[in-house]
Amino acid sequence: MLGWAIVLCSLLSAPARADKLLAYTEDVPPLNYLENGRVKGFGTELLELVAKEAGFDLRVEVLPWLRAYAQVKNTPGSLLFTLVRTPERENQFLWVGPISPRRIYLYRLAERRDIHVAAPVDLARYRNGALAGSAAAKQLAEMGLSSDSLDIGHSDTSDLQKLVLGRVDTVAMLDWAMAWQLRQLHLPADTVAPAWLLDGKQQYWFALNLNSPQGWDKRLQAALDRVGADGRLRAIQRRYLND
Protein backbone atom coordinates (compact mmCIF):
# COMPACT_ATOMS: atom_id res chain seq x y z
CA MET A 1 0.00 0.00 0.00
CA LEU A 2 2.87 2.30 0.87
CA GLY A 3 4.43 1.59 -2.52
CA TRP A 4 1.29 2.65 -4.39
CA ALA A 5 1.13 5.84 -2.31
CA ILE A 6 4.71 6.69 -3.29
CA VAL A 7 3.95 6.11 -6.99
CA LEU A 8 0.79 8.23 -6.79
CA CYS A 9 2.62 11.09 -5.09
CA SER A 10 5.38 11.02 -7.70
CA LEU A 11 2.82 11.18 -10.52
CA LEU A 12 1.01 14.09 -8.92
CA SER A 13 4.23 16.01 -8.34
CA ALA A 14 5.62 15.42 -11.87
CA PRO A 15 5.47 18.54 -14.10
CA ALA A 16 2.83 18.52 -16.84
CA ARG A 17 4.23 17.72 -20.26
CA ALA A 18 4.33 20.85 -22.44
CA ASP A 19 2.09 20.97 -25.50
CA LYS A 20 4.06 20.69 -28.74
CA LEU A 21 3.73 23.67 -31.10
CA LEU A 22 5.00 23.25 -34.66
CA ALA A 23 5.94 26.52 -36.35
CA TYR A 24 6.82 27.12 -39.99
CA THR A 25 8.39 30.15 -41.61
CA GLU A 26 10.37 31.25 -44.67
CA ASP A 27 13.89 32.62 -45.01
CA VAL A 28 13.32 36.41 -44.98
CA PRO A 29 15.97 38.18 -42.90
CA PRO A 30 15.88 39.77 -40.44
CA LEU A 31 12.35 38.63 -39.58
CA ASN A 32 13.23 34.94 -39.90
CA TYR A 33 16.35 33.35 -41.37
CA LEU A 34 18.69 30.39 -41.24
CA GLU A 35 22.23 30.84 -39.93
CA ASN A 36 24.52 27.84 -39.52
CA GLY A 37 21.52 25.54 -39.46
CA ARG A 38 19.69 27.51 -36.76
CA VAL A 39 16.54 29.59 -37.28
CA LYS A 40 17.04 33.16 -36.09
CA GLY A 41 15.48 36.59 -36.56
CA PHE A 42 13.04 38.92 -34.84
CA GLY A 43 9.94 36.80 -35.45
CA THR A 44 11.72 33.63 -34.39
CA GLU A 45 13.15 35.11 -31.18
CA LEU A 46 9.79 36.56 -30.24
CA LEU A 47 7.92 33.33 -30.94
CA GLU A 48 10.43 31.33 -28.87
CA LEU A 49 9.89 33.71 -25.97
CA VAL A 50 6.09 33.71 -26.30
CA ALA A 51 5.90 29.92 -26.65
CA LYS A 52 8.02 29.41 -23.53
CA GLU A 53 5.94 31.96 -21.64
CA ALA A 54 2.75 30.13 -22.67
CA GLY A 55 4.10 26.68 -21.75
CA PHE A 56 4.65 25.24 -25.23
CA ASP A 57 7.44 23.02 -26.49
CA LEU A 58 8.29 24.80 -29.77
CA ARG A 59 9.80 23.37 -32.94
CA VAL A 60 10.55 25.73 -35.85
CA GLU A 61 11.18 24.72 -39.46
CA VAL A 62 12.05 26.88 -42.48
CA LEU A 63 10.28 26.02 -45.74
CA PRO A 64 9.52 27.77 -49.03
CA TRP A 65 6.62 30.12 -48.35
CA LEU A 66 3.91 28.27 -50.28
CA ARG A 67 4.84 24.95 -48.61
CA ALA A 68 4.87 26.56 -45.16
CA TYR A 69 1.48 28.15 -45.82
CA ALA A 70 -0.05 24.85 -46.96
CA GLN A 71 1.53 22.92 -44.08
CA VAL A 72 -0.06 25.14 -41.45
CA LYS A 73 -3.46 25.22 -43.13
CA ASN A 74 -3.53 21.40 -43.05
CA THR A 75 -1.90 20.73 -39.66
CA PRO A 76 -3.74 21.32 -36.36
CA GLY A 77 -1.40 22.59 -33.67
CA SER A 78 0.85 24.38 -36.14
CA LEU A 79 1.66 28.06 -36.62
CA LEU A 80 2.81 30.22 -39.53
CA PHE A 81 5.00 33.32 -39.13
CA THR A 82 5.66 36.11 -39.88
CA LEU A 83 2.39 36.87 -41.70
CA VAL A 84 0.53 40.00 -42.79
CA ARG A 85 -3.12 39.84 -41.72
CA THR A 86 -5.30 40.67 -44.72
CA PRO A 87 -9.07 40.41 -45.36
CA GLU A 88 -8.44 37.49 -47.72
CA ARG A 89 -6.62 35.54 -45.00
CA GLU A 90 -8.85 36.57 -42.09
CA ASN A 91 -10.90 33.36 -41.88
CA GLN A 92 -8.03 30.99 -42.69
CA PHE A 93 -6.24 31.18 -39.31
CA LEU A 94 -6.50 31.98 -35.62
CA TRP A 95 -4.54 35.21 -35.21
CA VAL A 96 -2.06 36.05 -32.45
CA GLY A 97 -0.66 39.56 -32.41
CA PRO A 98 0.06 42.00 -33.78
CA ILE A 99 3.78 41.59 -33.29
CA SER A 100 5.05 44.49 -35.42
CA PRO A 101 3.99 47.13 -37.94
CA ARG A 102 4.79 46.43 -41.59
CA ARG A 103 6.24 49.63 -43.00
CA ILE A 104 7.65 50.30 -46.45
CA TYR A 105 9.52 53.59 -46.71
CA LEU A 106 11.16 55.46 -49.51
CA TYR A 107 14.62 56.07 -48.08
CA ARG A 108 17.08 58.79 -49.04
CA LEU A 109 20.69 59.23 -48.01
CA ALA A 110 20.67 61.15 -44.74
CA GLU A 111 22.93 63.78 -46.30
CA ARG A 112 20.47 64.40 -49.17
CA ARG A 113 18.44 67.08 -47.43
CA ASP A 114 17.42 68.44 -50.83
CA ILE A 115 14.94 65.57 -51.28
CA HIS A 116 11.42 66.48 -50.14
CA VAL A 117 8.39 64.22 -50.63
CA ALA A 118 5.07 65.44 -49.23
CA ALA A 119 2.75 63.73 -51.72
CA PRO A 120 2.97 61.02 -54.41
CA VAL A 121 3.22 63.64 -57.15
CA ASP A 122 6.57 64.78 -55.73
CA LEU A 123 8.15 61.40 -56.51
CA ALA A 124 8.20 62.19 -60.23
CA ARG A 125 11.02 64.68 -59.55
CA TYR A 126 13.34 61.89 -58.38
CA ARG A 127 14.69 58.54 -59.51
CA ASN A 128 13.20 55.95 -57.16
CA GLY A 129 14.54 52.41 -56.75
CA ALA A 130 12.40 49.37 -55.98
CA LEU A 131 12.83 45.60 -55.99
CA ALA A 132 11.50 43.78 -59.06
CA GLY A 133 8.23 42.01 -58.32
CA SER A 134 7.80 43.63 -54.92
CA ALA A 135 4.64 45.22 -53.56
CA ALA A 136 6.51 48.54 -53.48
CA ALA A 137 7.45 48.35 -57.16
CA LYS A 138 3.84 47.55 -58.06
CA GLN A 139 2.53 50.41 -55.95
CA LEU A 140 4.95 52.93 -57.44
CA ALA A 141 4.07 51.82 -60.98
CA GLU A 142 0.35 52.13 -60.21
CA MET A 143 1.01 55.69 -59.03
CA GLY A 144 2.03 56.46 -62.61
CA LEU A 145 5.80 56.75 -62.27
CA SER A 146 7.48 56.48 -65.65
CA SER A 147 10.68 54.61 -66.45
CA ASP A 148 12.54 57.91 -66.00
CA SER A 149 11.58 58.03 -62.31
CA LEU A 150 11.37 54.31 -61.47
CA ASP A 151 14.46 52.10 -61.31
CA ILE A 152 13.75 48.37 -60.89
CA GLY A 153 16.50 46.40 -59.16
CA HIS A 154 17.13 42.68 -58.70
CA SER A 155 17.87 42.72 -54.94
CA ASP A 156 17.62 44.92 -51.86
CA THR A 157 21.41 44.85 -51.65
CA SER A 158 21.89 46.27 -55.14
CA ASP A 159 19.16 48.88 -54.53
CA LEU A 160 20.94 50.12 -51.41
CA GLN A 161 24.26 50.18 -53.25
CA LYS A 162 22.69 52.31 -55.99
CA LEU A 163 21.43 54.72 -53.35
CA VAL A 164 24.87 54.99 -51.73
CA LEU A 165 26.50 55.57 -55.13
CA GLY A 166 23.96 58.23 -56.09
CA ARG A 167 22.45 56.29 -58.98
CA VAL A 168 18.98 56.67 -57.44
CA ASP A 169 17.60 59.38 -55.19
CA THR A 170 15.37 57.15 -53.07
CA VAL A 171 14.86 53.43 -52.60
CA ALA A 172 11.70 51.64 -51.44
CA MET A 173 12.28 49.02 -48.76
CA LEU A 174 10.76 47.48 -45.65
CA ASP A 175 12.23 49.06 -42.52
CA TRP A 176 13.25 45.57 -41.36
CA ALA A 177 15.00 44.88 -44.66
CA MET A 178 16.80 48.24 -44.67
CA ALA A 179 18.16 47.65 -41.16
CA TRP A 180 19.42 44.23 -42.25
CA GLN A 181 21.00 45.50 -45.49
CA LEU A 182 22.86 48.31 -43.70
CA ARG A 183 24.37 45.74 -41.34
CA GLN A 184 25.30 43.40 -44.18
CA LEU A 185 27.11 46.23 -45.99
CA HIS A 186 28.71 47.42 -42.70
CA LEU A 187 27.12 50.86 -43.02
CA PRO A 188 26.08 52.99 -40.02
CA ALA A 189 22.38 52.97 -39.19
CA ASP A 190 22.18 56.72 -39.83
CA THR A 191 23.42 56.39 -43.42
CA VAL A 192 19.81 56.66 -44.64
CA ALA A 193 16.66 58.45 -43.51
CA PRO A 194 13.00 57.94 -44.43
CA ALA A 195 11.85 60.34 -47.13
CA TRP A 196 8.25 59.14 -47.27
CA LEU A 197 6.07 56.35 -45.88
CA LEU A 198 4.89 54.40 -48.91
CA ASP A 199 2.82 51.78 -47.05
CA GLY A 200 2.18 51.51 -43.33
CA LYS A 201 -1.33 50.08 -43.18
CA GLN A 202 -0.51 46.43 -42.42
CA GLN A 203 0.93 44.60 -39.41
CA TYR A 204 2.72 41.29 -38.86
CA TRP A 205 1.06 38.47 -36.90
CA PHE A 206 1.47 34.85 -35.85
CA ALA A 207 -1.16 32.65 -37.56
CA LEU A 208 -2.38 29.44 -35.88
CA ASN A 209 -4.15 26.57 -37.64
CA LEU A 210 -7.94 26.91 -37.34
CA ASN A 211 -8.39 23.40 -35.91
CA SER A 212 -5.76 23.70 -33.21
CA PRO A 213 -6.71 22.62 -29.66
CA GLN A 214 -9.18 24.97 -28.02
CA GLY A 215 -7.62 27.86 -26.17
CA TRP A 216 -4.16 27.68 -27.74
CA ASP A 217 -4.60 31.05 -29.46
CA LYS A 218 -5.69 32.67 -26.18
CA ARG A 219 -2.67 31.21 -24.31
CA LEU A 220 -0.30 32.55 -26.93
CA GLN A 221 -2.03 35.93 -27.05
CA ALA A 222 -1.87 36.30 -23.27
CA ALA A 223 1.83 35.44 -23.31
CA LEU A 224 2.47 37.94 -26.13
CA ASP A 225 0.59 40.61 -24.21
CA ARG A 226 2.81 40.00 -21.17
CA VAL A 227 6.11 40.22 -23.05
CA GLY A 228 4.82 43.32 -24.79
CA ALA A 229 3.77 45.01 -21.55
CA ASP A 230 7.04 44.39 -19.71
CA GLY A 231 9.34 45.60 -22.51
CA ARG A 232 10.78 42.26 -23.65
CA LEU A 233 9.19 42.54 -27.11
CA ARG A 234 10.59 46.01 -27.64
CA ALA A 235 14.05 44.90 -26.54
CA ILE A 236 14.10 42.21 -29.24
CA GLN A 237 12.78 44.64 -31.84
CA ARG A 238 15.51 47.19 -31.13
CA ARG A 239 18.24 44.65 -31.88
CA TYR A 240 16.94 44.15 -35.41
CA LEU A 241 15.58 47.57 -36.40
CA ASN A 242 18.53 49.79 -35.44
CA ASP A 243 16.15 52.16 -33.63
Side-chain angles (χ1 to χ4, degrees):
M1 198 67 179
L2 179 60
W4 280 108
I6 294 173
V7 172
L8 180 59
C9 287
S10 65
L11 289 174
L12 291 174
S13 63
R17 183 174 296 177
D19 292 314
K20 293 187 180 298
L21 178 64
L22 308 176
Y24 298 91
T25 188
E26 62 176 337
D27 191 359
V28 182
L31 290 170
N32 328 287
Y33 62 96
L34 274 172
E35 183 176 280
N36 299 322
R38 185 182 171 192
V39 190
K40 294 186 176 182
F42 165 75
T44 306
E45 271 198 51
L46 180 59
L47 180 59
E48 288 172 344
L49 179 59
V50 168
K52 182 178 180 180
E53 183 84 9
F56 286 97
D57 180 10
L58 177 69
R59 191 188 78 191
V60 179
E61 185 175 346
V62 174
L63 294 174
W65 181 247
L66 291 179
R67 280 184 58 196
Y69 201 100
Q71 188 77 10
V72 173
K73 285 194 70 177
N74 296 316
T75 309
S78 66
L79 181 146
L80 182 66
F81 73 106
T82 305
L83 189 65
V84 175
R85 186 173 182 174
T86 64
E88 295 77 19
R89 295 169 174 169
E90 183 65 32
N91 297 321
Q92 297 181 17
F93 302 98
L94 300 172
W95 297 92
V96 177
I99 64 170
S100 167
R102 174 187 176 273
R103 296 172 298 212
I104 301 175
Y105 286 100
L106 282 165
Y107 288 94
R108 60 172 173 83
L109 288 178
E111 63 190 29
R112 289 289 308 275
R113 299 183 182 277
D114 58 306
I115 295 175
H116 302 285
V117 182
V121 67
D122 297 331
L123 295 174
R125 301 202 302 264
Y126 307 109
R127 187 146 183 83
N128 308 281
L131 179 64
S134 67
K138 180 181 178 182
Q139 188 172 346
L140 289 170
E142 289 174 347
M143 288 164 52
L145 294 186
S146 67
S147 58
D148 291 334
S149 54
L150 185 56
D151 182 280
I152 301 299
H154 67 272
S155 71
D156 284 339
T157 301
S158 65
D159 282 346
L160 178 54
Q161 289 172 332
K162 289 178 186 178
L163 184 69
V164 172
L165 293 172
R167 295 176 183 173
V168 295
D169 300 305
T170 77
V171 62
M173 204 176 299
L174 282 165
D175 52 358
W176 291 101
M178 177 56 77
W180 173 262
Q181 292 300 330
L182 288 169
R183 289 183 182 182
Q184 296 304 106
L185 294 177
H186 305 291
L187 294 171
D190 60 0
T191 299
V192 301
W196 195 56
L197 178 62
L198 181 63
D199 185 356
K201 297 177 183 178
Q202 307 290 349
Q203 299 188 85
Y204 287 115
W205 295 69
F206 297 136
L208 192 65
N209 174 275
L210 275 177
N211 298 312
S212 297
Q214 187 174 7
W216 277 27
D217 56 330
K218 292 179 174 59
R219 283 170 58 187
L220 289 166
Q221 186 66 57
L224 176 62
D225 292 344
R226 288 194 296 273
V227 303
D230 64 18
R232 284 179 286 171
L233 187 159
R234 185 63 178 146
I236 297 173
Q237 192 177 52
R238 281 179 178 148
R239 290 204 298 275
Y240 290 95
L241 268 180
N242 294 336
D243 64 350

